[in-house]
Coordinates of all heavy atoms in Angstrom, one line a residue:
Chain A
R14 N -28.9 -3.6 -0.6 CA -29.7 -4.0 0.5 C -29.3 -5.4 0.9 O -29.0 -6.3 0.1 CB -31.2 -3.9 0.3 CG -31.8 -2.5 0.0 CD -33.2 -2.3 -0.1 NE -33.7 -1.1 -0.4 CZ -33.8 0.0 0.5 NH1 -33.4 -0.2 1.7 NH2 -34.2 1.0 0.1
R15 N -29.4 -5.6 2.3 CA -29.2 -7.1 2.7 C -29.9 -8.1 1.8 O -31.1 -7.8 1.6 CB -29.6 -7.2 4.1 CG -28.5 -6.6 5.0 CD -28.8 -6.8 6.5 NE -30.0 -6.0 6.8 CZ -30.7 -6.2 8.0 NH1 -30.3 -6.9 8.9 NH2 -31.6 -5.3 8.2
G16 N -29.1 -9.0 1.4 CA -29.9 -10.2 0.6 C -29.9 -10.0 -0.9 O -30.1 -10.9 -1.6
Q17 N -29.5 -8.8 -1.4 CA -29.3 -8.7 -2.7 C -27.9 -9.1 -3.3 O -27.1 -9.6 -2.4 CB -29.4 -7.1 -3.2 CG -30.8 -6.5 -2.9 CD -30.8 -5.1 -3.4 OE1 -30.0 -4.4 -3.3 NE2 -32.0 -4.8 -4.1
E18 N -27.8 -9.2 -4.5 CA -26.5 -9.5 -5.1 C -25.7 -8.3 -5.5 O -26.2 -7.2 -5.9 CB -26.6 -10.4 -6.3 CG -25.4 -10.8 -7.0 CD -25.7 -11.8 -8.4 OE1 -26.1 -13.1 -8.0 OE2 -25.5 -11.3 -9.4
A19 N -24.4 -8.4 -5.3 CA -23.4 -7.4 -5.8 C -22.5 -8.0 -6.8 O -22.0 -9.1 -6.7 CB -22.6 -6.9 -4.5
R20 N -22.3 -7.3 -7.9 CA -21.5 -7.8 -9.0 C -20.4 -6.6 -9.2 O -20.8 -5.5 -9.6 CB -22.3 -8.1 -10.4 CG -23.1 -9.2 -10.2 CD -23.9 -9.3 -11.3 NE -23.3 -9.6 -12.7 CZ -23.1 -10.8 -13.1 NH1 -23.5 -11.9 -12.6 NH2 -22.4 -10.8 -14.3
L21 N -19.1 -6.9 -9.0 CA -18.0 -6.0 -9.1 C -17.1 -6.3 -10.4 O -16.9 -7.6 -10.4 CB -17.1 -5.9 -7.9 CG -17.8 -5.4 -6.7 CD1 -19.0 -6.2 -6.0 CD2 -16.6 -5.4 -5.5
R22 N -17.0 -5.5 -11.1 CA -16.2 -5.7 -12.4 C -14.8 -5.1 -12.4 O -14.5 -4.0 -11.8 CB -17.0 -5.1 -13.6 CG -18.3 -5.7 -13.8 CD -19.1 -5.0 -14.8 NE -20.4 -5.6 -15.1 CZ -21.4 -5.4 -14.2 NH1 -21.4 -4.5 -13.2 NH2 -22.5 -6.0 -14.6
C23 N -13.9 -5.8 -13.0 CA -12.4 -5.4 -13.2 C -12.0 -5.6 -14.6 O -11.9 -6.8 -15.0 CB -11.6 -6.1 -12.1 SG -9.9 -5.8 -12.4
S24 N -11.5 -4.6 -15.2 CA -10.8 -4.8 -16.5 C -9.3 -4.6 -16.2 O -8.9 -3.5 -15.9 CB -11.3 -3.9 -17.6 OG -12.7 -4.2 -17.7
P25 N -8.4 -5.6 -16.5 CA -7.0 -5.5 -16.2 C -6.3 -4.5 -17.2 O -7.0 -4.1 -18.2 CB -6.5 -6.8 -16.3 CG -7.4 -7.6 -17.2 CD -8.8 -6.9 -17.0
M26 N -5.1 -4.1 -16.8 CA -4.4 -3.3 -17.9 C -4.1 -4.2 -19.1 O -4.1 -5.3 -19.1 CB -3.0 -3.0 -17.1 CG -3.2 -1.9 -16.1 SD -1.5 -1.5 -15.4 CE -0.8 -0.8 -16.9
K27 N -3.9 -3.4 -20.1 CA -3.7 -4.0 -21.6 C -2.5 -5.0 -21.5 O -1.5 -4.6 -20.9 CB -3.6 -3.0 -22.5 CG -3.7 -3.5 -24.0 CD -3.5 -2.5 -25.0 CE -3.5 -3.1 -26.4 NZ -3.4 -2.0 -27.3
G28 N -2.7 -6.2 -21.9 CA -1.4 -7.1 -21.9 C -1.5 -7.9 -20.6 O -0.6 -8.8 -20.5
H29 N -2.1 -7.5 -19.6 CA -2.0 -8.2 -18.4 C -3.2 -9.5 -18.4 O -4.2 -9.3 -18.8 CB -2.4 -7.4 -17.2 CG -1.3 -6.4 -16.8 ND1 -1.3 -5.7 -15.7 CD2 -0.2 -6.1 -17.4 CE1 -0.2 -5.0 -15.6 NE2 0.5 -5.2 -16.7
S30 N -2.6 -10.7 -17.9 CA -3.4 -11.9 -17.9 C -3.8 -12.3 -16.4 O -4.3 -13.3 -16.2 CB -2.9 -12.9 -18.8 OG -1.6 -13.2 -18.3
H31 N -3.2 -11.7 -15.4 CA -3.4 -12.1 -14.1 C -4.2 -11.1 -13.3 O -3.9 -9.9 -13.5 CB -1.9 -12.4 -13.3 CG -1.1 -13.2 -14.0 ND1 -0.6 -14.3 -13.3 CD2 -0.4 -13.3 -15.2 CE1 0.3 -15.0 -14.2 NE2 0.4 -14.3 -15.3
V32 N -5.1 -11.6 -12.6 CA -6.0 -10.6 -11.9 C -6.1 -11.1 -10.5 O -6.2 -12.3 -10.1 CB -7.4 -10.6 -12.6 CG1 -8.4 -9.9 -11.6 CG2 -7.4 -9.9 -13.8
Y33 N -6.1 -10.2 -9.6 CA -6.2 -10.6 -8.1 C -7.3 -9.6 -7.5 O -7.4 -8.5 -7.8 CB -4.9 -10.2 -7.3 CG -3.6 -10.7 -8.1 CD1 -3.1 -9.9 -9.0 CD2 -3.0 -11.9 -7.6 CE1 -1.9 -10.4 -9.8 CE2 -1.8 -12.2 -8.3 CZ -1.3 -11.5 -9.4 OH -0.1 -12.0 -10.0
W34 N -8.1 -10.2 -6.6 CA -9.0 -9.4 -5.9 C -8.7 -9.4 -4.3 O -8.3 -10.4 -3.8 CB -10.5 -10.1 -6.0 CG -11.1 -9.9 -7.4 CD1 -11.0 -10.6 -8.4 CD2 -11.9 -8.7 -7.7 NE1 -11.8 -10.2 -9.5 CE2 -12.2 -9.0 -9.0 CE3 -12.4 -7.6 -7.1 CZ2 -13.1 -8.1 -9.7 CZ3 -13.1 -6.6 -7.7 CH2 -13.5 -6.9 -9.0
Y35 N -8.7 -8.2 -3.9 CA -8.4 -8.0 -2.4 C -9.6 -7.2 -1.7 O -10.4 -6.6 -2.4 CB -7.3 -7.1 -2.3 CG -6.0 -7.8 -2.5 CD1 -5.5 -7.9 -4.0 CD2 -5.1 -8.4 -1.5 CE1 -4.3 -8.5 -4.2 CE2 -4.0 -9.0 -1.9 CZ -3.5 -9.1 -3.2 OH -2.3 -9.8 -3.4
R36 N -9.8 -7.5 -0.5 CA -10.8 -6.8 0.2 C -10.0 -5.9 1.3 O -9.2 -6.5 2.0 CB -11.8 -7.6 0.9 CG -12.8 -7.2 2.0 CD -14.0 -7.9 2.1 NE -13.7 -9.2 2.8 CZ -14.6 -10.1 3.2 NH1 -15.9 -9.9 2.8 NH2 -14.2 -11.2 3.9
Q37 N -10.7 -4.7 1.6 CA -10.0 -3.9 2.6 C -11.1 -3.3 3.5 O -12.0 -2.6 3.1 CB -9.3 -2.7 2.1 CG -8.4 -1.9 3.1 CD -7.7 -0.9 2.4 OE1 -7.9 -0.2 1.4 NE2 -6.5 -0.6 3.0
L38 N -11.0 -3.6 4.8 CA -12.0 -3.0 5.7 C -11.5 -1.7 6.2 O -10.2 -1.5 6.1 CB -12.3 -4.0 6.9 CG -12.9 -5.3 6.6 CD1 -12.8 -6.3 7.6 CD2 -14.4 -5.0 6.1
P39 N -12.3 -0.7 6.7 CA -11.8 0.5 7.2 C -10.6 0.4 8.1 O -10.7 -0.5 9.1 CB -13.0 1.1 7.8 CG -14.1 0.4 7.2 CD -13.7 -1.0 6.9
E40 N -9.7 1.1 8.0 CA -8.4 1.2 8.9 C -7.7 -0.1 8.9 O -7.1 -0.4 9.9 CB -8.9 1.5 10.4 CG -9.8 2.8 10.3 CD -9.0 4.1 9.8 OE1 -7.8 4.1 9.9 OE2 -9.8 5.0 9.3
E41 N -7.8 -0.9 8.0 CA -7.2 -2.3 7.9 C -6.4 -2.5 6.7 O -6.5 -1.6 5.7 CB -8.1 -3.4 8.0 CG -8.9 -3.5 9.4 CD -9.6 -4.8 9.7 OE1 -9.5 -5.7 9.0 OE2 -10.3 -4.8 10.6
G42 N -5.6 -3.5 6.6 CA -4.8 -3.8 5.4 C -5.6 -4.5 4.4 O -6.9 -4.7 4.5
L43 N -4.9 -5.0 3.3 CA -5.6 -5.8 2.3 C -5.5 -7.2 2.4 O -4.5 -7.9 2.7 CB -4.9 -5.4 0.9 CG -5.2 -4.0 0.3 CD1 -4.3 -3.0 1.0 CD2 -5.2 -4.1 -1.2
K44 N -6.6 -7.8 2.4 CA -6.8 -9.3 2.5 C -7.0 -9.9 1.2 O -7.9 -9.6 0.4 CB -8.0 -9.7 3.4 CG -7.9 -9.1 4.7 CD -6.7 -9.6 5.4 CE -6.6 -9.1 7.0 NZ -5.4 -9.3 7.7
F45 N -6.1 -10.8 0.8 CA -6.3 -11.5 -0.4 C -7.4 -12.4 -0.6 O -7.8 -13.1 0.5 CB -5.0 -12.4 -0.6 CG -5.0 -13.5 -1.7 CD1 -4.9 -13.0 -3.0 CD2 -5.4 -14.7 -1.5 CE1 -5.0 -13.9 -4.1 CE2 -5.4 -15.7 -2.5 CZ -5.2 -15.1 -3.8
M46 N -8.2 -12.3 -1.7 CA -9.3 -13.2 -1.9 C -9.0 -14.2 -2.9 O -9.2 -15.4 -2.6 CB -10.5 -12.3 -2.2 CG -11.0 -11.2 -1.3 SD -12.3 -10.4 -1.8 CE -13.6 -11.6 -1.4
V47 N -8.6 -13.8 -4.1 CA -8.5 -14.9 -5.2 C -7.6 -14.3 -6.3 O -7.4 -13.2 -6.5 CB -10.0 -15.1 -5.9 CG1 -10.6 -13.8 -6.4 CG2 -10.0 -16.1 -6.8

Side-chain angles (χ1 to χ4, degrees):
Chain A
R14 295 188 185 279
R15 279 180 295 171
Q17 290 185 319
E18 178 179 285
R20 289 169 66 93
L21 288 62
R22 293 175 184 78
C23 169
S24 296
M26 285 179 72
K27 189 176 180 181
H29 286 194
S30 57
H31 301 242
V32 166
Y33 315 81
W34 284 94
Y35 288 82
R36 176 163 62 178
Q37 186 177 36
L38 294 169
E40 310 298 328
E41 293 191 10
L43 283 89
K44 300 298 183 189
F45 169 77
M46 299 182 75
V47 62

